[in-house]
Amino acid sequence: MANKRKRAEVDITAQFCPKFTIKNINFTEKQRELIRIIREEGTKIVFVEGPAGSAKTFCATFCGLMSLREGSKERIKYIRSLVESSQSKIGFLKGSLEEKISPYGGPLLDKLEEFLTKGEYEKLFQDGSIVSACPNFLRGSTFKNEFVIVDESQNLCYSDLVTIISRIGENCTIVFCSDKKQSDIKNSGIEKMTGLFRNEESQDRGIHTFGFTADDIMRSEILRFIMGKIESA
C-alpha cells in the first residue's frame, strides 16, 4: 500500500493578511513606551490620558496597523462619539467613502495619512479591514480578533463606556484615548472607569493605564506652550 503523502500546511494568515507598507516614523521614548505596552502579548485594555497633540490616537493607530499587517488581528475598529448623537441617530450617510466615514472616523484619516498612502488606507476601508462606528450601535456586538480604538472617550458617559468595554471577546485589544480637559459632556465617565483599573490587580490581567503630559505634545511648539499654561491654571 502506497504511503499517503502528507498534505502541506497552508499559512492562512499570510494569505489573508492585508499588504501595505507603514512609513518610517520617529517615535519619542514616551511614545515607544506606550507602544510597547499596547503590543505586549498579554495586553487586553489600555487607558491612555493626555492633552491634545500628545499622540494618543497616533500611537494606537500605529499599533492597530502593525497588528493588521502581521495578521494578529483581522480588523481595526475605530469608535468615536458624536456628542449630539446621544440624543439622535444620524442614520444612513450618502456620498463618497470619505464623506461616509468623516462624522465618526474623520480624525482617523489624519493619522492613517501619516502612515500609509491614500490608496492603501482606502483599500483597508473598502475591504473592511478598518471600520468606524458610533457607540449607539454597539449593543449586542462582540469584539473578536479586533484592535479597537475608542477615541475622545472623555465624551462618553459611564454607561457608554460599560457598553464598549463589555464587548471585549477573544483576541481583542481595546485602547481608550481621552483628554479630560476637552470633555464636551457634563457626565463623562472616563475618570471613574479608568480609576477602577488603576491598580496592580488589573495590570496583572492585562489592563493598563498610561498618561501623557504637556511635555509630550508633539503637534507643535506653540500647542505645547498653550497646553502647559492650561494644565498649570
Side-chain angles (χ1 to χ4, degrees), residues 71-119:
S72 62
K73 298 288 190 293
E74 295 177 356
R75 183 182 299 109
I76 295 174
K77 180 166 284 181
Y78 178 81
I79 299 170
R80 176 172 168 264
S81 174
L82 294 178
V83 174
E84 64 272 22
S85 70
S86 62
Q87 301 298 324
S88 61
K89 296 181 179 180
I90 288 181
F92 177 75
L93 298 174
K94 299 180 180 179
S96 66
L97 175 66
E98 276 122 343
E99 289 169 335
K100 286 178 185 293
I101 68 171
S102 61
Y104 305 122
L108 177 62
L109 286 179
D110 295 337
K111 310 302 183 296
L112 292 173
E113 287 174 349
E114 297 191 56
F115 292 115
L116 308 174
T117 66
K118 185 176 181 179

Side-chain angles (χ1 to χ4, degrees), residues 30-217:
K30 191 76 171 283
Q31 290 167 355
R32 288 196 299 270
E33 181 184 355
L34 173 59
I35 290 168
R36 178 189 59 77
I37 291 171
I38 295 174
R39 287 183 50 77
E40 279 182 350
E41 186 176 349
T43 295
K44 306 297 183 186
I45 297 169
V46 183
F47 294 92
V48 187
E49 155 67 24
S54 56
K56 304 179 295 293
T57 310
F58 186 75
C59 291
T61 301
F62 172 77
C63 293
L65 289 172
M66 288 293 291
S67 70
L68 273 187
R69 192 176 70 173
E70 68 196 13
S72 62
K73 298 288 190 293
E74 295 177 356
R75 183 182 299 109
I76 295 174
K77 180 166 284 181
Y78 178 81
I79 299 170
R80 176 172 168 264
S81 174
L82 294 178
V83 174
E84 64 272 22
S85 70
S86 62
Q87 301 298 324
S88 61
K89 296 181 179 180
I90 288 181
F92 177 75
L93 298 174
K94 299 180 180 179
S96 66
L97 175 66
E98 276 122 343
E99 289 169 335
K100 286 178 185 293
I101 68 171
S102 61
Y104 305 122
L108 177 62
L109 286 179
D110 295 337
K111 310 302 183 296
L112 292 173
E113 287 174 349
E114 297 191 56
F115 292 115
L116 308 174
T117 66
K118 185 176 181 179
E120 286 175 328
Y121 70 70
E122 282 186 343
K123 187 176 186 302
L124 292 175
F125 276 108
Q126 289 164 353
D127 65 18
S129 296
I130 301 178
V131 297
S132 56
C134 179
N136 300 49
F137 304 99
L138 294 176
R139 291 189 185 277
S141 63
T142 300
F143 302 151
K144 184 178 180 181
N145 300 321
E146 291 184 316
F147 189 98
V148 181
I149 302 171
V150 187
D151 208 3
E152 305 292 347
S153 55
Q154 75 276 359
N155 285 330
L156 296 166
C157 66
Y158 186 73
S159 62
D160 288 333
L161 292 167
V162 170
T163 295
I164 294 170
I165 204 169
S166 62
R167 303 302 96 197
I168 190 168
E170 292 296 322
N171 190 32
C172 173
T173 302
I174 307 178
V175 181
F176 291 88
C177 302
S178 67
D179 177 0
K180 60 187 177 182
K181 290 188 177 295
Q182 293 201 48
S183 178
D184 297 313
I185 62 174
K186 295 180 180 179
N187 60 335
S188 173
I190 191 61
E191 287 196 66
K192 178 180 178 181
M193 180 63 74
T194 304
L196 292 176
F197 301 103
R198 194 180 286 114
N199 51 65
E200 188 174 338
E201 180 186 15
S202 298
Q203 187 170 320
D204 289 343
R205 287 165 171 78
I207 305 176
H208 302 265
T209 59
F210 188 92
F212 285 115
T213 68
D215 291 336
D216 300 307
I217 293 174

